[in-house]
Amino acid sequence: MKRYISYLFIAAAAFFVACGSDDNDNEPQDNVSEQLKGEWCIVDEPSDVALVLRLDASRTIIGTIYDNISSRPTKEQISGSWTYYSSNKILVMDRKHESGLKSSSDNFLVQQIGPYVLQLRDQSTGAVERYSRFVASIDAQAGQQIDLYQQASIPKDFQATAFSSSNTRVATVSTDGIVSVQGSGVAFISATSAEGSVVCLLNVPSHIDSYIAEVQSTIDAVLQTHGKPDAEGMSGQNMAVVYRQSCFDDALSAIQYQYDEKTRQVTRILTLYNSVNDYEADATEIRNAFFLHSESMYGPYEEYVRNTYLLSPFISDGACYVSYNNIKYFNQYKHF
């Protein structure tokens, strides 16, 4: 990831603002400013990366990094522990990243802090980062309209002078804060005022996203969402349920969910398409948005070992399918 290390330290550095004026530079400061509690966001459109950080009073930092935000983003978690000092220094004592990346401590200077702005300068490189207050994460559907002041928890006293969208293919926003959802993906919607900026994350899942989520869930969650299946029985070494036409997805004629009877974990989802056109639309999206691995399987990460699921579009005997495979389960049990 382009800026993992910088982001992690920037997050940690923010806490030193609350330290007060203790004469002992080596004495850790524990009083966290009310202004720093909550979540902050930075969107770097040229690098196609965004970061949402949650700062709390327990000396922990939790962050979500969104990469490839202009098309199909991937998400990764970072976490860390921190101690700050009155001499404008920050020591990150422990930090973890999903991919296992490590880094060293660094010092930052807080240049500006307010309800809607956090600006930091790296004391070693001079680089400046400006964060906005993160206010909401919203799930939406194409065609929907959203009033940011009513649905995104923007404070009523925040007088926005401009609005913007990081991805107009997903959503556009009017001058009065009305978001029009255009298609699937994610968009970071920003509202700017003289006091700073607030940001909300708009998530518009496609049905591919829905099945990706389901193949990492349990069969009980599937049954609760979709109701009684049309058929059930064994499939390979595991159980399976089938929903037939007319099912809950107009593009499909049938959906099969395989699951482990003991753990209740969904292990594989097989979708059968009504038409070649519907299949080709989804297969093209998968080929364009994911990394190709062995046997025509596609995953969100280029490094195979980081993938917890893989997708496989294929045609067999004239029928069109996409298989959603729980690779985390397969690696443990060696079957679906």
Side-chain angles (χ1 to χ4, degrees), residues 67-68 72-76 212 216 286 289-293 297-304 306-311 325 327:
D67 198 8
N68 200 31
R72 177 174 284 274
T74 58
K75 293 194 300 183
E76 294 195 64
I212 288 172
Q216 300 174 89
I286 291 169
F290 294 88
F291 292 99
L292 175 63
H293 295 285
M297 286 194 171
Y298 296 80
Y301 299 110
E302 188 170 10
E303 301 89 346
Y304 178 84
R306 295 177 63 191
N307 293 286
T308 57
Y309 64 87
L310 293 176
L311 287 64
N325 307 285
I327 296 303

PDB file of all heavy atoms in Angstrom, residues 67-68 72-76 212 216 286 289-293 297-304 306-311 325 327:
ATOM      1  N   ASP A  67      -8.185   0.988  -0.751  1.00  0.00           N
ATOM      2  CA  ASP A  67      -7.329   1.123  -1.926  1.00  0.00           C
ATOM      3  C   ASP A  67      -8.174   0.920  -3.179  1.00  0.00           C
ATOM      4  O   ASP A  67      -9.200   0.231  -3.156  1.00  0.00           O
ATOM      5  CB  ASP A  67      -6.202   0.096  -1.873  1.00  0.00           C
ATOM      6  CG  ASP A  67      -5.060   0.435  -2.800  1.00  0.00           C
ATOM      7  OD1 ASP A  67      -5.066   1.541  -3.374  1.00  0.00           O
ATOM      8  OD2 ASP A  67      -4.147  -0.396  -2.946  1.00  0.00           O
ATOM      9  N   ASN A  68      -7.735   1.526  -4.291  1.00  0.00           N
ATOM     10  CA  ASN A  68      -8.440   1.371  -5.561  1.00  0.00           C
ATOM     11  C   ASN A  68      -9.863   1.927  -5.472  1.00  0.00           C
ATOM     12  O   ASN A  68     -10.811   1.322  -5.954  1.00  0.00           O
ATOM     13  CB  ASN A  68      -8.459  -0.110  -5.969  1.00  0.00           C
ATOM     14  CG  ASN A  68      -8.721  -0.312  -7.447  1.00  0.00           C
ATOM     15  OD1 ASN A  68      -8.345   0.510  -8.268  1.00  0.00           O
ATOM     16  ND2 ASN A  68      -9.385  -1.398  -7.770  1.00  0.00           N
ATOM     17  N   ARG A  72     -13.067  -0.826  -7.892  1.00  0.00           N
ATOM     18  CA  ARG A  72     -13.557  -1.777  -6.884  1.00  0.00           C
ATOM     19  C   ARG A  72     -12.590  -1.787  -5.716  1.00  0.00           C
ATOM     20  O   ARG A  72     -11.515  -2.389  -5.771  1.00  0.00           O
ATOM     21  CB  ARG A  72     -13.700  -3.183  -7.479  1.00  0.00           C
ATOM     22  CG  ARG A  72     -14.130  -4.233  -6.447  1.00  0.00           C
ATOM     23  CD  ARG A  72     -14.403  -5.554  -7.097  1.00  0.00           C
ATOM     24  NE  ARG A  72     -15.668  -5.530  -7.792  1.00  0.00           N
ATOM     25  CZ  ARG A  72     -16.844  -5.783  -7.235  1.00  0.00           C
ATOM     26  NH1 ARG A  72     -16.902  -6.071  -5.959  1.00  0.00           N
ATOM     27  NH2 ARG A  72     -17.947  -5.757  -7.941  1.00  0.00           N
ATOM     28  N   PRO A  73     -12.910  -1.085  -4.640  1.00  0.00           N
ATOM     29  CA  PRO A  73     -11.944  -0.940  -3.551  1.00  0.00           C
ATOM     30  C   PRO A  73     -11.729  -2.215  -2.748  1.00  0.00           C
ATOM     31  O   PRO A  73     -12.627  -3.052  -2.646  1.00  0.00           O
ATOM     32  CB  PRO A  73     -12.556   0.153  -2.678  1.00  0.00           C
ATOM     33  CG  PRO A  73     -13.948   0.301  -3.117  1.00  0.00           C
ATOM     34  CD  PRO A  73     -14.136  -0.378  -4.424  1.00  0.00           C
ATOM     35  N   THR A  74     -10.527  -2.327  -2.215  1.00  0.00           N
ATOM     36  CA  THR A  74     -10.230  -3.348  -1.217  1.00  0.00           C
ATOM     37  C   THR A  74     -10.044  -2.641   0.117  1.00  0.00           C
ATOM     38  O   THR A  74      -9.668  -1.477   0.168  1.00  0.00           O
ATOM     39  CB  THR A  74      -8.958  -4.134  -1.582  1.00  0.00           C
ATOM     40  OG1 THR A  74      -7.859  -3.219  -1.713  1.00  0.00           O
ATOM     41  CG2 THR A  74      -9.148  -4.876  -2.894  1.00  0.00           C
ATOM     42  N   LYS A  75     -10.327  -3.362   1.194  1.00  0.00           N
ATOM     43  CA  LYS A  75     -10.225  -2.786   2.531  1.00  0.00           C
ATOM     44  C   LYS A  75      -9.220  -3.580   3.356  1.00  0.00           C
ATOM     45  O   LYS A  75      -9.180  -4.800   3.275  1.00  0.00           O
ATOM     46  CB  LYS A  75     -11.580  -2.800   3.244  1.00  0.00           C
ATOM     47  CG  LYS A  75     -12.619  -1.906   2.638  1.00  0.00           C
ATOM     48  CD  LYS A  75     -13.794  -1.705   3.582  1.00  0.00           C
ATOM     49  CE  LYS A  75     -14.483  -2.997   3.930  1.00  0.00           C
ATOM     50  NZ  LYS A  75     -15.668  -2.775   4.796  1.00  0.00           N
ATOM     51  N   GLU A  76      -8.436  -2.858   4.135  1.00  0.00           N
ATOM     52  CA  GLU A  76      -7.528  -3.492   5.078  1.00  0.00           C
ATOM     53  C   GLU A  76      -7.548  -2.723   6.387  1.00  0.00           C
ATOM     54  O   GLU A  76      -7.779  -1.517   6.411  1.00  0.00           O
ATOM     55  CB  GLU A  76      -6.106  -3.530   4.525  1.00  0.00           C
ATOM     56  CG  GLU A  76      -5.975  -4.423   3.302  1.00  0.00           C
ATOM     57  CD  GLU A  76      -4.534  -4.714   3.006  1.00  0.00           C
ATOM     58  OE1 GLU A  76      -3.866  -5.364   3.847  1.00  0.00           O
ATOM     59  OE2 GLU A  76      -4.062  -4.292   1.944  1.00  0.00           O
ATOM     60  N   ILE A 212     -20.256 -12.152  -2.364  1.00  0.00           N
ATOM     61  CA  ILE A 212     -18.949 -12.162  -1.702  1.00  0.00           C
ATOM     62  C   ILE A 212     -19.134 -12.116  -0.187  1.00  0.00           C
ATOM     63  O   ILE A 212     -18.460 -12.834   0.561  1.00  0.00           O
ATOM     64  CB  ILE A 212     -18.090 -10.976  -2.185  1.00  0.00           C
ATOM     65  CG1 ILE A 212     -17.625 -11.219  -3.628  1.00  0.00           C
ATOM     66  CG2 ILE A 212     -16.890 -10.759  -1.263  1.00  0.00           C
ATOM     67  CD1 ILE A 212     -16.930 -10.037  -4.257  1.00  0.00           C
ATOM     68  N   GLN A 216     -18.722 -15.578   2.924  1.00  0.00           N
ATOM     69  CA  GLN A 216     -17.916 -15.456   4.134  1.00  0.00           C
ATOM     70  C   GLN A 216     -18.779 -15.445   5.397  1.00  0.00           C
ATOM     71  O   GLN A 216     -18.286 -15.145   6.483  1.00  0.00           O
ATOM     72  CB  GLN A 216     -17.074 -14.174   4.061  1.00  0.00           C
ATOM     73  CG  GLN A 216     -16.125 -14.147   2.868  1.00  0.00           C
ATOM     74  CD  GLN A 216     -15.402 -12.830   2.724  1.00  0.00           C
ATOM     75  OE1 GLN A 216     -14.327 -12.624   3.287  1.00  0.00           O
ATOM     76  NE2 GLN A 216     -15.987 -11.917   1.981  1.00  0.00           N
ATOM     77  N   ILE A 286     -15.830  -8.932 -13.083  1.00  0.00           N
ATOM     78  CA  ILE A 286     -14.897  -9.716 -12.272  1.00  0.00           C
ATOM     79  C   ILE A 286     -13.497  -9.690 -12.881  1.00  0.00           C
ATOM     80  O   ILE A 286     -12.501  -9.475 -12.184  1.00  0.00           O
ATOM     81  CB  ILE A 286     -15.408 -11.166 -12.131  1.00  0.00           C
ATOM     82  CG1 ILE A 286     -16.669 -11.197 -11.261  1.00  0.00           C
ATOM     83  CG2 ILE A 286     -14.328 -12.072 -11.534  1.00  0.00           C
ATOM     84  CD1 ILE A 286     -17.398 -12.525 -11.271  1.00  0.00           C
ATOM     85  N   ALA A 289     -11.936  -6.163 -12.371  1.00  0.00           N
ATOM     86  CA  ALA A 289     -11.783  -5.617 -11.018  1.00  0.00           C
ATOM     87  C   ALA A 289     -10.941  -6.483 -10.089  1.00  0.00           C
ATOM     88  O   ALA A 289     -10.515  -6.005  -9.038  1.00  0.00           O
ATOM     89  CB  ALA A 289     -13.162  -5.402 -10.391  1.00  0.00           C
ATOM     90  N   PHE A 290     -10.693  -7.750 -10.447  1.00  0.00           N
ATOM     91  CA  PHE A 290      -9.979  -8.655  -9.561  1.00  0.00           C
ATOM     92  C   PHE A 290      -8.701  -9.162 -10.217  1.00  0.00           C
ATOM     93  O   PHE A 290      -8.536  -9.064 -11.431  1.00  0.00           O
ATOM     94  CB  PHE A 290     -10.874  -9.833  -9.168  1.00  0.00           C
ATOM     95  CG  PHE A 290     -12.068  -9.452  -8.335  1.00  0.00           C
ATOM     96  CD1 PHE A 290     -13.257  -9.082  -8.934  1.00  0.00           C
ATOM     97  CD2 PHE A 290     -11.997  -9.455  -6.954  1.00  0.00           C
ATOM     98  CE1 PHE A 290     -14.360  -8.719  -8.175  1.00  0.00           C
ATOM     99  CE2 PHE A 290     -13.085  -9.104  -6.183  1.00  0.00           C
ATOM    100  CZ  PHE A 290     -14.271  -8.731  -6.794  1.00  0.00           C
ATOM    101  N   PHE A 291      -7.829  -9.742  -9.392  1.00  0.00           N
ATOM    102  CA  PHE A 291      -6.579 -10.297  -9.880  1.00  0.00           C
ATOM    103  C   PHE A 291      -6.775 -11.760 -10.266  1.00  0.00           C
ATOM    104  O   PHE A 291      -7.385 -12.534  -9.528  1.00  0.00           O
ATOM    105  CB  PHE A 291      -5.493 -10.196  -8.805  1.00  0.00           C
ATOM    106  CG  PHE A 291      -5.066  -8.789  -8.507  1.00  0.00           C
ATOM    107  CD1 PHE A 291      -5.587  -8.122  -7.406  1.00  0.00           C
ATOM    108  CD2 PHE A 291      -4.167  -8.131  -9.327  1.00  0.00           C
ATOM    109  CE1 PHE A 291      -5.194  -6.818  -7.120  1.00  0.00           C
ATOM    110  CE2 PHE A 291      -3.770  -6.832  -9.050  1.00  0.00           C
ATOM    111  CZ  PHE A 291      -4.290  -6.175  -7.948  1.00  0.00           C
ATOM    112  N   LEU A 292      -6.217 -12.135 -11.407  1.00  0.00           N
ATOM    113  CA  LEU A 292      -6.335 -13.506 -11.892  1.00  0.00           C
ATOM    114  C   LEU A 292      -5.356 -14.407 -11.162  1.00  0.00           C
ATOM    115  O   LEU A 292      -4.167 -14.097 -11.032  1.00  0.00           O
ATOM    116  CB  LEU A 292      -6.057 -13.558 -13.393  1.00  0.00           C
ATOM    117  CG  LEU A 292      -6.029 -14.959 -14.038  1.00  0.00           C
ATOM    118  CD1 LEU A 292      -7.397 -15.633 -13.914  1.00  0.00           C
ATOM    119  CD2 LEU A 292      -5.590 -14.859 -15.500  1.00  0.00           C
ATOM    120  N   HIS A 293      -5.878 -15.567 -10.691  1.00  0.00           N
ATOM    121  CA  HIS A 293      -5.041 -16.587 -10.074  1.00  0.00           C
ATOM    122  C   HIS A 293      -5.207 -17.885 -10.849  1.00  0.00           C
ATOM    123  O   HIS A 293      -5.759 -17.900 -11.937  1.00  0.00           O
ATOM    124  CB  HIS A 293      -5.416 -16.750  -8.597  1.00  0.00           C
ATOM    125  CG  HIS A 293      -5.117 -15.524  -7.791  1.00  0.00           C
ATOM    126  ND1 HIS A 293      -3.848 -15.176  -7.415  1.00  0.00           N
ATOM    127  CD2 HIS A 293      -5.928 -14.535  -7.319  1.00  0.00           C
ATOM    128  CE1 HIS A 293      -3.873 -14.047  -6.742  1.00  0.00           C
ATOM    129  NE2 HIS A 293      -5.121 -13.634  -6.660  1.00  0.00           N
ATOM    130  N   MET A 297      -9.432 -18.374 -11.506  1.00  0.00           N
ATOM    131  CA  MET A 297     -10.025 -17.828 -10.296  1.00  0.00           C
ATOM    132  C   MET A 297      -9.487 -16.428 -10.044  1.00  0.00           C
ATOM    133  O   MET A 297      -8.307 -16.158 -10.262  1.00  0.00           O
ATOM    134  CB  MET A 297      -9.755 -18.728  -9.094  1.00  0.00           C
ATOM    135  CG  MET A 297     -10.576 -20.005  -9.093  1.00  0.00           C
ATOM    136  SD  MET A 297     -10.540 -20.824  -7.482  1.00  0.00           S
ATOM    137  CE  MET A 297     -11.773 -22.094  -7.739  1.00  0.00           C
ATOM    138  N   TYR A 298     -10.377 -15.548  -9.573  1.00  0.00           N
ATOM    139  CA  TYR A 298     -10.042 -14.149  -9.381  1.00  0.00           C
ATOM    140  C   TYR A 298     -10.230 -13.767  -7.920  1.00  0.00           C
ATOM    141  O   TYR A 298     -11.208 -14.164  -7.279  1.00  0.00           O
ATOM    142  CB  TYR A 298     -10.941 -13.265 -10.244  1.00  0.00           C
ATOM    143  CG  TYR A 298     -10.757 -13.474 -11.731  1.00  0.00           C
ATOM    144  CD1 TYR A 298     -11.362 -14.549 -12.386  1.00  0.00           C
ATOM    145  CD2 TYR A 298      -9.986 -12.594 -12.483  1.00  0.00           C
ATOM    146  CE1 TYR A 298     -11.192 -14.741 -13.748  1.00  0.00           C
ATOM    147  CE2 TYR A 298      -9.821 -12.774 -13.846  1.00  0.00           C
ATOM    148  CZ  TYR A 298     -10.417 -13.853 -14.468  1.00  0.00           C
ATOM    149  OH  TYR A 298     -10.249 -14.038 -15.821  1.00  0.00           O
ATOM    150  N   GLY A 299      -9.277 -12.966  -7.404  1.00  0.00           N
ATOM    151  CA  GLY A 299      -9.354 -12.522  -6.022  1.00  0.00           C
ATOM    152  C   GLY A 299      -9.068 -11.046  -5.894  1.00  0.00           C
ATOM    153  O   GLY A 299      -8.529 -10.410  -6.812  1.00  0.00           O
ATOM    154  N   PRO A 300      -9.390 -10.451  -4.743  1.00  0.00           N
ATOM    155  CA  PRO A 300      -9.192  -9.016  -4.550  1.00  0.00           C
ATOM    156  C   PRO A 300      -7.735  -8.610  -4.385  1.00  0.00           C
ATOM    157  O   PRO A 300      -7.398  -7.445  -4.566  1.00  0.00           O
ATOM    158  CB  PRO A 300      -9.989  -8.724  -3.279  1.00  0.00           C
ATOM    159  CG  PRO A 300     -10.005 -10.013  -2.534  1.00  0.00           C
ATOM    160  CD  PRO A 300     -10.054 -11.075  -3.585  1.00  0.00           C
ATOM    161  N   TYR A 301      -6.860  -9.573  -4.048  1.00  0.00           N
ATOM    162  CA  TYR A 301      -5.460  -9.250  -3.813  1.00  0.00           C
ATOM    163  C   TYR A 301      -4.562 -10.017  -4.776  1.00  0.00           C
ATOM    164  O   TYR A 301      -4.829 -11.174  -5.120  1.00  0.00           O
ATOM    165  CB  TYR A 301      -5.057  -9.583  -2.382  1.00  0.00           C
ATOM    166  CG  TYR A 301      -5.841  -8.825  -1.359  1.00  0.00           C
ATOM    167  CD1 TYR A 301      -6.778  -9.477  -0.550  1.00  0.00           C
ATOM    168  CD2 TYR A 301      -5.673  -7.449  -1.194  1.00  0.00           C
ATOM    169  CE1 TYR A 301      -7.518  -8.769   0.387  1.00  0.00           C
ATOM    170  CE2 TYR A 301      -6.415  -6.739  -0.264  1.00  0.00           C
ATOM    171  CZ  TYR A 301      -7.324  -7.397   0.517  1.00  0.00           C
ATOM    172  OH  TYR A 301      -8.061  -6.699   1.449  1.00  0.00           O
ATOM    173  N   GLU A 302      -3.494  -9.338  -5.198  1.00  0.00           N
ATOM    174  CA  GLU A 302      -2.563  -9.961  -6.133  1.00  0.00           C
ATOM    175  C   GLU A 302      -1.829 -11.127  -5.490  1.00  0.00           C
ATOM    176  O   GLU A 302      -1.578 -12.145  -6.129  1.00  0.00           O
ATOM    177  CB  GLU A 302      -1.568  -8.914  -6.635  1.00  0.00           C
ATOM    178  CG  GLU A 302      -0.679  -9.405  -7.757  1.00  0.00           C
ATOM    179  CD  GLU A 302       0.134  -8.292  -8.391  1.00  0.00           C
ATOM    180  OE1 GLU A 302       0.139  -7.169  -7.824  1.00  0.00           O
ATOM    181  OE2 GLU A 302       0.763  -8.544  -9.431  1.00  0.00           O
ATOM    182  N   GLU A 303      -1.502 -10.973  -4.192  1.00  0.00           N
ATOM    183  CA  GLU A 303      -0.833 -12.066  -3.478  1.00  0.00           C
ATOM    184  C   GLU A 303      -1.889 -13.106  -3.092  1.00  0.00           C
ATOM    185  O   GLU A 303      -2.787 -12.820  -2.309  1.00  0.00           O
ATOM    186  CB  GLU A 303      -0.134 -11.535  -2.224  1.00  0.00           C
ATOM    187  CG  GLU A 303       0.905 -10.462  -2.500  1.00  0.00           C
ATOM    188  CD  GLU A 303       0.315  -9.063  -2.495  1.00  0.00           C
ATOM    189  OE1 GLU A 303      -0.939  -8.947  -2.535  1.00  0.00           O
ATOM    190  OE2 GLU A 303       1.081  -8.102  -2.450  1.00  0.00           O
ATOM    191  N   TYR A 304      -1.729 -14.299  -3.605  1.00  0.00           N
ATOM    192  CA  TYR A 304      -2.756 -15.333  -3.420  1.00  0.00           C
ATOM    193  C   TYR A 304      -3.062 -15.581  -1.950  1.00  0.00           C
ATOM    194  O   TYR A 304      -4.232 -15.736  -1.559  1.00  0.00           O
ATOM    195  CB  TYR A 304      -2.291 -16.636  -4.079  1.00  0.00           C
ATOM    196  CG  TYR A 304      -3.264 -17.784  -3.890  1.00  0.00           C
ATOM    197  CD1 TYR A 304      -4.354 -17.952  -4.740  1.00  0.00           C
ATOM    198  CD2 TYR A 304      -3.094 -18.689  -2.845  1.00  0.00           C
ATOM    199  CE1 TYR A 304      -5.243 -18.999  -4.561  1.00  0.00           C
ATOM    200  CE2 TYR A 304      -3.978 -19.741  -2.656  1.00  0.00           C
ATOM    201  CZ  TYR A 304      -5.052 -19.886  -3.519  1.00  0.00           C
ATOM    202  OH  TYR A 304      -5.941 -20.915  -3.321  1.00  0.00           O
ATOM    203  N   ARG A 306      -3.247 -13.760   0.549  1.00  0.00           N
ATOM    204  CA  ARG A 306      -4.030 -12.747   1.259  1.00  0.00           C
ATOM    205  C   ARG A 306      -5.520 -12.868   0.966  1.00  0.00           C
ATOM    206  O   ARG A 306      -6.339 -12.227   1.633  1.00  0.00           O
ATOM    207  CB  ARG A 306      -3.543 -11.345   0.871  1.00  0.00           C
ATOM    208  CG  ARG A 306      -2.126 -11.044   1.316  1.00  0.00           C
ATOM    209  CD  ARG A 306      -1.674  -9.685   0.848  1.00  0.00           C
ATOM    210  NE  ARG A 306      -2.494  -8.620   1.430  1.00  0.00           N
ATOM    211  CZ  ARG A 306      -2.447  -7.357   1.027  1.00  0.00           C
ATOM    212  NH1 ARG A 306      -1.655  -7.005   0.035  1.00  0.00           N
ATOM    213  NH2 ARG A 306      -3.198  -6.448   1.612  1.00  0.00           N
ATOM    214  N   ASN A 307      -5.894 -13.661  -0.013  1.00  0.00           N
ATOM    215  CA  ASN A 307      -7.298 -13.770  -0.397  1.00  0.00           C
ATOM    216  C   ASN A 307      -8.055 -14.734   0.507  1.00  0.00           C
ATOM    217  O   ASN A 307      -7.597 -15.841   0.769  1.00  0.00           O
ATOM    218  CB  ASN A 307      -7.410 -14.243  -1.856  1.00  0.00           C
ATOM    219  CG  ASN A 307      -6.896 -13.218  -2.842  1.00  0.00           C
ATOM    220  OD1 ASN A 307      -7.550 -12.211  -3.082  1.00  0.00           O
ATOM    221  ND2 ASN A 307      -5.726 -13.462  -3.406  1.00  0.00           N
ATOM    222  N   THR A 308      -9.225 -14.296   0.971  1.00  0.00           N
ATOM    223  CA  THR A 308     -10.091 -15.167   1.764  1.00  0.00           C
ATOM    224  C   THR A 308     -11.216 -15.754   0.913  1.00  0.00           C
ATOM    225  O   THR A 308     -11.916 -16.661   1.354  1.00  0.00           O
ATOM    226  CB  THR A 308     -10.700 -14.394   2.945  1.00  0.00           C
ATOM    227  OG1 THR A 308     -11.422 -13.259   2.445  1.00  0.00           O
ATOM    228  CG2 THR A 308      -9.603 -13.931   3.898  1.00  0.00           C
ATOM    229  N   TYR A 309     -11.385 -15.218  -0.281  1.00  0.00           N
ATOM    230  CA  TYR A 309     -12.367 -15.771  -1.219  1.00  0.00           C
ATOM    231  C   TYR A 309     -11.830 -15.595  -2.637  1.00  0.00           C
ATOM    232  O   TYR A 309     -10.994 -14.725  -2.907  1.00  0.00           O
ATOM    233  CB  TYR A 309     -13.725 -15.073  -1.089  1.00  0.00           C
ATOM    234  CG  TYR A 309     -13.681 -13.600  -1.447  1.00  0.00           C
ATOM    235  CD1 TYR A 309     -13.844 -13.171  -2.765  1.00  0.00           C
ATOM    236  CD2 TYR A 309     -13.469 -12.630  -0.467  1.00  0.00           C
ATOM    237  CE1 TYR A 309     -13.786 -11.824  -3.101  1.00  0.00           C
ATOM    238  CE2 TYR A 309     -13.407 -11.280  -0.791  1.00  0.00           C
ATOM    239  CZ  TYR A 309     -13.574 -10.883  -2.104  1.00  0.00           C
ATOM    240  OH  TYR A 309     -13.513  -9.551  -2.427  1.00  0.00           O
ATOM    241  N   LEU A 310     -12.308 -16.454  -3.552  1.00  0.00           N
ATOM    242  CA  LEU A 310     -11.977 -16.346  -4.971  1.00  0.00           C
ATOM    243  C   LEU A 310     -13.243 -16.544  -5.787  1.00  0.00           C
ATOM    244  O   LEU A 310     -14.136 -17.302  -5.396  1.00  0.00           O
ATOM    245  CB  LEU A 310     -10.920 -17.375  -5.371  1.00  0.00           C
ATOM    246  CG  LEU A 310      -9.513 -17.212  -4.793  1.00  0.00           C
ATOM    247  CD1 LEU A 310      -8.625 -18.372  -5.220  1.00  0.00           C
ATOM    248  CD2 LEU A 310      -8.888 -15.892  -5.215  1.00  0.00           C
ATOM    249  N   LEU A 311     -13.308 -15.866  -6.933  1.00  0.00           N
ATOM    250  CA  LEU A 311     -14.461 -15.952  -7.828  1.00  0.00           C
ATOM    251  C   LEU A 311     -14.035 -16.627  -9.126  1.00  0.00           C
ATOM    252  O   LEU A 311     -12.925 -16.398  -9.618  1.00  0.00           O
ATOM    253  CB  LEU A 311     -15.002 -14.553  -8.155  1.00  0.00           C
ATOM    254  CG  LEU A 311     -15.761 -13.777  -7.087  1.00  0.00           C
ATOM    255  CD1 LEU A 311     -14.879 -13.440  -5.891  1.00  0.00           C
ATOM    256  CD2 LEU A 311     -16.330 -12.492  -7.670  1.00  0.00           C
ATOM    257  N   ASN A 325     -16.018 -18.827  -3.935  1.00  0.00           N
ATOM    258  CA  ASN A 325     -15.361 -19.876  -3.167  1.00  0.00           C
ATOM    259  C   ASN A 325     -14.713 -19.327  -1.897  1.00  0.00           C
ATOM    260  O   ASN A 325     -13.933 -18.365  -1.951  1.00  0.00           O
ATOM    261  CB  ASN A 325     -14.293 -20.541  -4.037  1.00  0.00           C
ATOM    262  CG  ASN A 325     -14.853 -21.025  -5.360  1.00  0.00           C
ATOM    263  OD1 ASN A 325     -15.552 -22.027  -5.424  1.00  0.00           O
ATOM    264  ND2 ASN A 325     -14.565 -20.283  -6.427  1.00  0.00           N
ATOM    265  N   ILE A 327     -12.036 -19.460   0.252  1.00  0.00           N
ATOM    266  CA  ILE A 327     -10.687 -20.005   0.233  1.00  0.00           C
ATOM    267  C   ILE A 327     -10.139 -20.196   1.637  1.00  0.00           C
ATOM    268  O   ILE A 327      -9.339 -21.099   1.898  1.00  0.00           O
ATOM    269  CB  ILE A 327      -9.766 -19.097  -0.606  1.00  0.00           C
ATOM    270  CG1 ILE A 327     -10.245 -19.096  -2.060  1.00  0.00           C
ATOM    271  CG2 ILE A 327      -8.320 -19.566  -0.538  1.00  0.00           C
ATOM    272  CD1 ILE A 327     -10.305 -20.464  -2.707  1.00  0.00           C
TER     273      ILE A 327
END
